[in-house]
Short mmCIF file of all heavy atoms in Angstrom, two decimals:
data_model
loop_
_atom_site.label_atom_id
_atom_site.label_comp_id
_atom_site.label_asym_id
_atom_site.label_seq_id
_atom_site.Cartn_x
_atom_site.Cartn_y
_atom_site.Cartn_z
N ALA B 1 82.02 155.88 137.79
CA ALA B 1 83.44 156.16 137.65
C ALA B 1 84.03 155.43 136.45
O ALA B 1 83.50 154.42 135.99
CB ALA B 1 84.19 155.76 138.92
N TRP B 2 85.15 155.96 135.99
CA TRP B 2 85.99 155.31 135.00
C TRP B 2 87.26 154.80 135.66
O TRP B 2 87.89 155.52 136.44
CB TRP B 2 86.37 156.26 133.86
CG TRP B 2 85.27 156.58 132.91
CD1 TRP B 2 84.47 157.68 132.90
CD2 TRP B 2 84.85 155.78 131.79
NE1 TRP B 2 83.57 157.62 131.86
CE2 TRP B 2 83.78 156.47 131.16
CE3 TRP B 2 85.27 154.55 131.26
CZ2 TRP B 2 83.13 155.97 130.03
CZ3 TRP B 2 84.62 154.06 130.14
CH2 TRP B 2 83.57 154.76 129.54
N PHE B 3 87.63 153.57 135.32
CA PHE B 3 88.88 152.97 135.73
C PHE B 3 89.67 152.53 134.51
O PHE B 3 89.11 152.39 133.42
CB PHE B 3 88.64 151.75 136.63
CG PHE B 3 88.04 152.06 137.96
CD1 PHE B 3 86.67 152.21 138.11
CD2 PHE B 3 88.85 152.20 139.09
CE1 PHE B 3 86.11 152.49 139.34
CE2 PHE B 3 88.29 152.48 140.33
CZ PHE B 3 86.93 152.63 140.46
N ARG B 4 90.96 152.29 134.69
CA ARG B 4 91.76 151.71 133.61
C ARG B 4 92.77 150.73 134.20
O ARG B 4 93.17 150.84 135.36
CB ARG B 4 92.47 152.78 132.79
CG ARG B 4 93.62 153.47 133.51
CD ARG B 4 94.31 154.46 132.59
NE ARG B 4 95.47 155.07 133.21
CZ ARG B 4 96.24 155.98 132.61
NH1 ARG B 4 95.97 156.39 131.37
NH2 ARG B 4 97.29 156.49 133.26
N GLN B 5 93.16 149.76 133.37
CA GLN B 5 94.16 148.78 133.79
C GLN B 5 95.05 148.44 132.60
O GLN B 5 94.57 147.93 131.59
CB GLN B 5 93.51 147.52 134.34
CG GLN B 5 94.50 146.55 134.94
CD GLN B 5 93.84 145.45 135.76
OE1 GLN B 5 92.66 145.17 135.61
NE2 GLN B 5 94.62 144.84 136.64
N ALA B 6 96.33 148.72 132.73
CA ALA B 6 97.31 148.39 131.72
C ALA B 6 97.92 147.03 132.02
O ALA B 6 97.89 146.56 133.17
CB ALA B 6 98.41 149.46 131.68
N PRO B 7 98.48 146.36 131.01
CA PRO B 7 99.08 145.05 131.25
C PRO B 7 100.14 145.09 132.34
O PRO B 7 101.03 145.95 132.33
CB PRO B 7 99.69 144.69 129.89
CG PRO B 7 98.87 145.45 128.90
CD PRO B 7 98.52 146.74 129.59
N GLY B 8 100.06 144.17 133.29
CA GLY B 8 101.03 144.09 134.36
C GLY B 8 100.90 145.13 135.45
O GLY B 8 101.75 145.20 136.33
N LYS B 9 99.85 145.95 135.41
CA LYS B 9 99.67 147.00 136.39
C LYS B 9 98.34 146.86 137.12
O LYS B 9 97.43 146.19 136.65
CB LYS B 9 99.75 148.38 135.73
CG LYS B 9 101.10 148.71 135.13
CD LYS B 9 101.14 150.12 134.60
CE LYS B 9 102.51 150.48 134.05
NZ LYS B 9 102.55 151.87 133.54
N GLU B 10 98.24 147.52 138.26
CA GLU B 10 97.01 147.53 139.03
C GLU B 10 95.96 148.40 138.35
O GLU B 10 96.29 149.36 137.64
CB GLU B 10 97.26 148.04 140.44
CG GLU B 10 98.22 147.20 141.27
CD GLU B 10 97.58 145.93 141.77
OE1 GLU B 10 96.34 145.87 141.86
OE2 GLU B 10 98.32 144.98 142.07
N ARG B 11 94.70 148.07 138.58
CA ARG B 11 93.63 148.94 138.12
C ARG B 11 93.68 150.26 138.88
O ARG B 11 93.89 150.29 140.09
CB ARG B 11 92.28 148.26 138.33
CG ARG B 11 91.09 149.10 137.90
CD ARG B 11 89.76 148.41 138.18
NE ARG B 11 89.51 147.30 137.26
CZ ARG B 11 89.38 146.04 137.63
NH1 ARG B 11 89.45 145.70 138.91
NH2 ARG B 11 89.16 145.10 136.72
N GLU B 12 93.50 151.37 138.17
CA GLU B 12 93.54 152.67 138.81
C GLU B 12 92.33 153.51 138.43
O GLU B 12 91.80 153.40 137.32
CB GLU B 12 94.83 153.42 138.44
CG GLU B 12 94.98 153.72 136.96
CD GLU B 12 96.26 154.47 136.66
OE1 GLU B 12 96.86 155.05 137.58
OE2 GLU B 12 96.67 154.47 135.47
N GLY B 13 91.90 154.34 139.36
CA GLY B 13 90.80 155.23 139.10
C GLY B 13 91.20 156.38 138.21
O GLY B 13 92.28 156.96 138.38
N VAL B 14 90.34 156.74 137.27
CA VAL B 14 90.60 157.82 136.33
C VAL B 14 89.78 159.06 136.69
O VAL B 14 90.33 160.15 136.87
CB VAL B 14 90.29 157.39 134.89
CG1 VAL B 14 90.46 158.56 133.92
CG2 VAL B 14 91.18 156.22 134.48
N SER B 15 88.47 158.91 136.79
CA SER B 15 87.60 160.03 137.12
C SER B 15 86.30 159.50 137.68
O SER B 15 85.98 158.31 137.56
CB SER B 15 87.35 160.91 135.90
OG SER B 15 86.71 160.17 134.87
N CYS B 16 85.51 160.40 138.27
CA CYS B 16 84.34 159.97 139.03
C CYS B 16 83.29 161.08 139.06
O CYS B 16 83.63 162.27 139.12
CB CYS B 16 84.77 159.60 140.45
SG CYS B 16 83.46 159.05 141.55
N ILE B 17 82.03 160.68 139.01
CA ILE B 17 80.90 161.58 139.24
C ILE B 17 80.11 161.05 140.43
O ILE B 17 79.71 159.89 140.44
CB ILE B 17 80.00 161.69 138.00
CG1 ILE B 17 80.75 162.37 136.85
CG2 ILE B 17 78.72 162.46 138.33
CD1 ILE B 17 79.96 162.43 135.56
N ARG B 18 79.87 161.92 141.40
CA ARG B 18 79.11 161.57 142.59
C ARG B 18 77.88 162.47 142.67
O ARG B 18 77.99 163.69 142.60
CB ARG B 18 79.98 161.75 143.84
CG ARG B 18 81.22 160.86 143.85
CD ARG B 18 82.12 161.18 145.04
NE ARG B 18 82.72 162.50 144.90
CZ ARG B 18 82.68 163.44 145.85
NH1 ARG B 18 82.06 163.21 146.99
NH2 ARG B 18 83.26 164.61 145.63
N ARG B 19 76.71 161.85 142.84
CA ARG B 19 75.46 162.59 142.80
C ARG B 19 74.55 162.17 143.94
O ARG B 19 74.36 160.98 144.20
CB ARG B 19 74.75 162.37 141.47
CG ARG B 19 73.39 163.03 141.40
CD ARG B 19 72.74 162.85 140.04
NE ARG B 19 71.37 163.35 140.05
CZ ARG B 19 71.03 164.63 139.94
NH1 ARG B 19 71.96 165.55 139.79
NH2 ARG B 19 69.75 164.99 139.95
N SER B 20 73.95 163.17 144.63
CA SER B 20 72.92 162.95 145.63
C SER B 20 72.22 164.26 145.92
O SER B 20 72.83 165.34 145.84
CB SER B 20 73.49 162.35 146.92
OG SER B 20 74.34 163.27 147.58
N GLY B 21 70.93 164.18 146.26
CA GLY B 21 70.17 165.36 146.61
C GLY B 21 70.19 166.45 145.55
O GLY B 21 70.13 167.64 145.89
N GLY B 22 70.28 166.07 144.29
CA GLY B 22 70.32 167.03 143.21
C GLY B 22 71.66 167.70 142.99
O GLY B 22 71.77 168.57 142.11
N HIS B 23 72.67 167.33 143.75
CA HIS B 23 74.00 167.91 143.63
C HIS B 23 74.95 166.91 142.99
O HIS B 23 74.97 165.74 143.37
CB HIS B 23 74.52 168.33 145.00
CG HIS B 23 75.90 168.89 144.99
ND1 HIS B 23 76.18 170.12 144.42
CD2 HIS B 23 77.07 168.40 145.45
CE1 HIS B 23 77.47 170.36 144.54
NE2 HIS B 23 78.03 169.33 145.17
N THR B 24 75.74 167.38 142.04
CA THR B 24 76.67 166.53 141.32
C THR B 24 78.09 167.06 141.49
O THR B 24 78.34 168.24 141.31
CB THR B 24 76.31 166.48 139.82
OG1 THR B 24 74.96 166.03 139.67
CG2 THR B 24 77.24 165.53 139.09
N SER B 25 79.02 166.15 141.80
CA SER B 25 80.43 166.49 141.96
C SER B 25 81.26 165.68 140.99
O SER B 25 80.96 164.52 140.71
CB SER B 25 80.90 166.23 143.39
OG SER B 25 80.19 167.01 144.33
N TYR B 26 82.34 166.29 140.51
CA TYR B 26 83.25 165.66 139.56
C TYR B 26 84.64 165.58 140.18
O TYR B 26 85.10 166.53 140.81
CB TYR B 26 83.32 166.44 138.25
CG TYR B 26 82.03 166.48 137.48
CD1 TYR B 26 81.00 167.34 137.85
CD2 TYR B 26 81.83 165.68 136.36
CE1 TYR B 26 79.81 167.38 137.14
CE2 TYR B 26 80.65 165.71 135.63
CZ TYR B 26 79.64 166.57 136.04
OH TYR B 26 78.47 166.60 135.32
N SER B 27 85.32 164.46 139.94
CA SER B 27 86.67 164.27 140.44
C SER B 27 87.57 163.77 139.32
O SER B 27 87.17 162.91 138.54
CB SER B 27 86.71 163.28 141.60
OG SER B 27 85.92 163.73 142.70
N ASP B 28 88.78 164.29 139.28
CA ASP B 28 89.79 163.91 138.30
C ASP B 28 91.02 163.45 139.07
O ASP B 28 91.59 164.22 139.84
CB ASP B 28 90.12 165.09 137.39
CG ASP B 28 91.27 164.82 136.45
OD1 ASP B 28 91.66 163.65 136.28
OD2 ASP B 28 91.78 165.80 135.85
N PHE B 29 91.44 162.20 138.86
CA PHE B 29 92.52 161.63 139.64
C PHE B 29 93.84 161.52 138.88
O PHE B 29 94.82 161.05 139.45
CB PHE B 29 92.12 160.24 140.15
CG PHE B 29 90.88 160.25 141.01
CD1 PHE B 29 89.72 159.65 140.59
CD2 PHE B 29 90.89 160.87 142.25
CE1 PHE B 29 88.58 159.66 141.38
CE2 PHE B 29 89.76 160.90 143.05
CZ PHE B 29 88.60 160.28 142.61
N LEU B 30 93.88 161.93 137.62
CA LEU B 30 95.08 161.75 136.80
C LEU B 30 95.51 163.06 136.15
O LEU B 30 95.61 163.17 134.92
CB LEU B 30 94.86 160.65 135.77
CG LEU B 30 94.68 159.24 136.33
CD1 LEU B 30 94.42 158.24 135.22
CD2 LEU B 30 95.90 158.82 137.14
N LYS B 31 95.74 164.06 136.96
CA LYS B 31 96.47 165.27 136.57
C LYS B 31 95.82 166.06 135.44
O LYS B 31 96.51 166.66 134.61
CB LYS B 31 97.92 164.93 136.21
CG LYS B 31 98.68 164.22 137.31
CD LYS B 31 100.08 163.87 136.88
CE LYS B 31 100.83 163.14 137.97
NZ LYS B 31 102.21 162.77 137.55
N GLY B 32 94.50 166.06 135.37
CA GLY B 32 93.81 166.89 134.42
C GLY B 32 93.88 166.43 132.97
O GLY B 32 93.54 167.20 132.06
N ARG B 33 94.30 165.20 132.72
CA ARG B 33 94.43 164.69 131.36
C ARG B 33 93.15 164.04 130.84
O ARG B 33 93.14 163.58 129.69
CB ARG B 33 95.59 163.71 131.28
CG ARG B 33 96.94 164.35 131.65
CD ARG B 33 98.10 163.40 131.41
NE ARG B 33 98.23 163.04 130.01
CZ ARG B 33 97.91 161.85 129.51
NH1 ARG B 33 97.46 160.89 130.29
NH2 ARG B 33 98.07 161.62 128.21
N PHE B 34 92.12 163.98 131.65
CA PHE B 34 90.84 163.40 131.28
C PHE B 34 89.72 164.34 131.67
O PHE B 34 89.81 165.06 132.66
CB PHE B 34 90.62 162.05 131.98
CG PHE B 34 91.66 161.02 131.69
CD1 PHE B 34 92.87 161.01 132.38
CD2 PHE B 34 91.44 160.05 130.74
CE1 PHE B 34 93.83 160.05 132.12
CE2 PHE B 34 92.39 159.08 130.47
CZ PHE B 34 93.58 159.09 131.15
N THR B 35 88.64 164.33 130.87
CA THR B 35 87.46 165.11 131.19
C THR B 35 86.25 164.20 131.17
O THR B 35 85.89 163.66 130.12
CB THR B 35 87.25 166.26 130.20
OG1 THR B 35 88.40 167.12 130.22
CG2 THR B 35 86.02 167.08 130.59
N MET B 36 85.62 164.03 132.33
CA MET B 36 84.42 163.22 132.43
C MET B 36 83.19 164.13 132.39
O MET B 36 83.19 165.19 133.03
CB MET B 36 84.43 162.39 133.71
CG MET B 36 83.29 161.38 133.81
SD MET B 36 83.46 160.33 135.28
CE MET B 36 82.04 159.24 135.07
N SER B 37 82.18 163.72 131.67
CA SER B 37 80.95 164.50 131.56
C SER B 37 79.74 163.58 131.59
O SER B 37 79.87 162.36 131.44
CB SER B 37 80.95 165.35 130.30
OG SER B 37 81.04 164.54 129.14
N ARG B 38 78.56 164.18 131.76
CA ARG B 38 77.33 163.41 131.88
C ARG B 38 76.22 164.06 131.08
O ARG B 38 76.07 165.29 131.10
CB ARG B 38 76.93 163.30 133.36
CG ARG B 38 75.58 162.64 133.63
CD ARG B 38 75.38 162.47 135.12
NE ARG B 38 74.07 161.91 135.44
CZ ARG B 38 73.08 162.59 136.01
NH1 ARG B 38 73.26 163.86 136.35
NH2 ARG B 38 71.92 162.00 136.26
N ASP B 39 75.45 163.24 130.37
CA ASP B 39 74.26 163.68 129.66
C ASP B 39 73.07 163.10 130.41
O ASP B 39 72.79 161.91 130.33
CB ASP B 39 74.28 163.19 128.22
CG ASP B 39 73.14 163.76 127.39
OD1 ASP B 39 72.02 163.87 127.91
OD2 ASP B 39 73.37 164.07 126.21
N THR B 40 72.37 163.96 131.16
CA THR B 40 71.30 163.50 132.03
C THR B 40 70.16 162.88 131.24
O THR B 40 69.64 161.82 131.60
CB THR B 40 70.77 164.65 132.88
OG1 THR B 40 71.84 165.21 133.65
CG2 THR B 40 69.68 164.17 133.83
N ALA B 41 69.75 163.51 130.15
CA ALA B 41 68.62 163.03 129.37
C ALA B 41 68.89 161.67 128.76
O ALA B 41 68.01 160.81 128.71
CB ALA B 41 68.28 164.04 128.28
N LYS B 42 70.11 161.45 128.29
CA LYS B 42 70.46 160.19 127.65
C LYS B 42 70.94 159.13 128.63
O LYS B 42 71.12 157.98 128.23
CB LYS B 42 71.54 160.42 126.59
CG LYS B 42 71.08 161.26 125.41
CD LYS B 42 72.20 161.39 124.39
CE LYS B 42 71.75 162.19 123.18
NZ LYS B 42 72.84 162.33 122.18
N LYS B 43 71.17 159.52 129.88
CA LYS B 43 71.75 158.63 130.89
C LYS B 43 73.04 158.02 130.36
O LYS B 43 73.22 156.80 130.29
CB LYS B 43 70.74 157.56 131.32
CG LYS B 43 69.47 158.14 131.93
CD LYS B 43 68.55 157.08 132.52
CE LYS B 43 69.10 156.50 133.79
NZ LYS B 43 68.12 155.57 134.44
#
């Protein structure tokens, strides 16, 4: 996952990748303003 923390604010989750059993799920927690991706070969 990616998190961010601005001065004087709590750390907040930005996006997340969850993987098990060959299945991968993506989550976006900040209104579609971020795109998380994964390169399997490069890890």
Side-chain angles (χ1 to χ4, degrees):
W2 286 98
F3 293 84
R4 71 177 184 181
Q5 187 167 21
K9 296 185 177 180
E10 298 284 337
R11 179 182 287 118
E12 63 180 342
V14 176
S15 61
C16 180
I17 294 176
R18 300 174 292 128
R19 176 177 173 80
S20 67
H23 178 69
T24 304
S25 299
Y26 296 78
S27 299
D28 174 14
F29 301 114
L30 294 178
K31 303 178 181 179
R33 299 187 63 253
F34 301 82
T35 301
M36 188 175 182
S37 60
R38 174 174 177 251
D39 187 321
T40 302
K42 294 182 178 180
K43 300 187 72 174

